[in-house]
Amino acid sequence: DAKTTQPTSMDCAEGRAANLPCNHSTISGNEYVYWYRQIHSQGPQYIIHGLKNNETNEMASLIITEDRKSSTLILPHATLRDTAVYYCIVRVAGEGNKLVFGAGTILRVKS
Amino acid sequence: NAGVTQTPKFRVLKTGQSMTLLCAQDMNHEYMYWYRQDPGMGLRLIHYSVGEGTTAKGEVPDGYNVSRLKKQNFLLGLESAAPSQTSVYFCASRGSGTYNEQFFGPGTRLTVL
């Protein structure tokens, strides 16, 4: 699985968009980009995933660059409840479809 | 629909004791996983299962055993607990679709003295 690099922490004002970057320069053609988040000590929660096209769901948008070497998770209107650790994961199908978690980005949403 | 549940929520063991953590899912998922999370770190995969009766090693399997006798349950065993196994343990499950997401349980906090 390709390695990902994320900033250690970020701050965002409540009500503003939170843009969380992720670098995955060694990603290969059949690897998807997944985003999960972990609020306080709870189990991680799935947010979104994509291959090469931009994706949007009720929680967030995922923007993947054309060369697929980086992506950005966008929370359009961050709230205090979005304060969490956000994990960017690159995953290849097969081998049990395992997830390899890095340290993630601590997002602090402030009022 | 309870999703993924874990039993117990908390446990304190003495070095050398044994215990079993239970994970149950009611979503008819094929895949199940056990992870551990140490302070300030991401989750690390211990063992996983791709279906009833199957198990496979993950990234950090030493000191743990697992069994998947029923599709809905995935058990994680510690035969002789060590302080290094003090951690938060998360179970997850996912459906059989190639890119289905994993659903996580609430975690079990284990302390080994």
Side-chain angles (χ1 to χ4, degrees):
Chain A
D1 295 335
K3 179 179 171 59
T4 61
T5 303
Q6 299 177 251
T8 302
S9 65
M10 295 181 63
D11 291 340
C12 177
E14 188 178 21
R16 305 295 295 267
N19 297 280
L20 291 88
C22 179
N23 287 323
H24 31 79
S25 59
T26 61
I27 193 170
S28 60
N30 62 346
E31 290 181 315
Y32 275 62
V33 179
Y34 280 75
W35 284 83
Y36 282 75
R37 72 180 182 183
Q38 187 174 24
I39 296 173
H40 194 40
S41 302
Q42 300 175 19
Q45 175 191 24
Y46 166 81
I47 303 173
I48 198 167
H49 74 276
L51 181 62
K52 53 184 177 181
N53 298 320
N54 297 339
E55 302 288 345
T56 295
N57 62 21
E58 64 277 6
M59 289 182 67
S61 295
L62 175 61
I63 308 299
I64 303 174
T65 58
E66 192 168 344
D67 63 6
R68 302 207 326 120
K69 294 183 185 299
S70 66
S71 61
T72 300
L73 178 74
I74 301 172
L75 307 178
H77 305 287
T79 70
L80 298 178
R81 289 177 296 178
D82 292 320
T83 293
V85 179
Y86 287 77
Y87 297 101
C88 170
I89 300 166
V90 171
R91 203 205 76 190
V92 64
E95 296 185 13
N97 297 302
K98 298 174 288 186
L99 298 176
V100 178
F101 287 80
T105 296
I106 300 171
L107 174 68
R108 299 185 186 91
V109 180
K110 300 183 176 182
S111 58
Chain B
N1 190 336
V4 179
T5 57
Q6 294 183 230
T7 308
K9 290 184 171 54
F10 304 92
R11 186 71 186 268
V12 178
L13 290 179
K14 294 181 180 178
T15 298
Q17 287 185 318
S18 63
M19 78 162 295
T20 300
L21 282 67
L22 171 63
C23 176
Q25 53 94 4
D26 61 2
M27 297 172 281
N28 200 35
H29 284 169
E30 291 293 330
Y31 295 78
M32 296 187 75
Y33 308 82
W34 275 108
Y35 296 87
R36 61 175 288 174
Q37 184 173 33
D38 299 318
M41 298 179 64
L43 282 70
R44 291 184 293 170
L45 183 65
I46 305 171
H47 286 281
Y48 65 99
S49 168
V50 301
E52 181 178 318
T54 75
T55 63
K57 293 180 180 180
E59 183 185 0
V60 288
D62 293 343
Y64 305 95
N65 57 76
V66 288
S67 64
R68 183 99 182 269
L69 299 179
K70 294 182 178 180
K71 186 176 184 179
Q72 63 269 32
N73 295 337
F74 196 29
L75 279 65
L76 178 70
L78 287 73
E79 291 186 348
S80 180
S84 60
Q85 294 178 304
T86 293
S87 189
V88 180
Y89 292 85
F90 290 101
C91 175
S93 72
R94 65 182 290 276
S96 57
T98 302
Y99 299 105
N100 285 3
E101 69 268 28
Q102 291 186 20
F103 292 85
F104 285 81
T108 294
R109 291 187 174 276
L110 176 65
T111 301
V112 183
L113 302 175

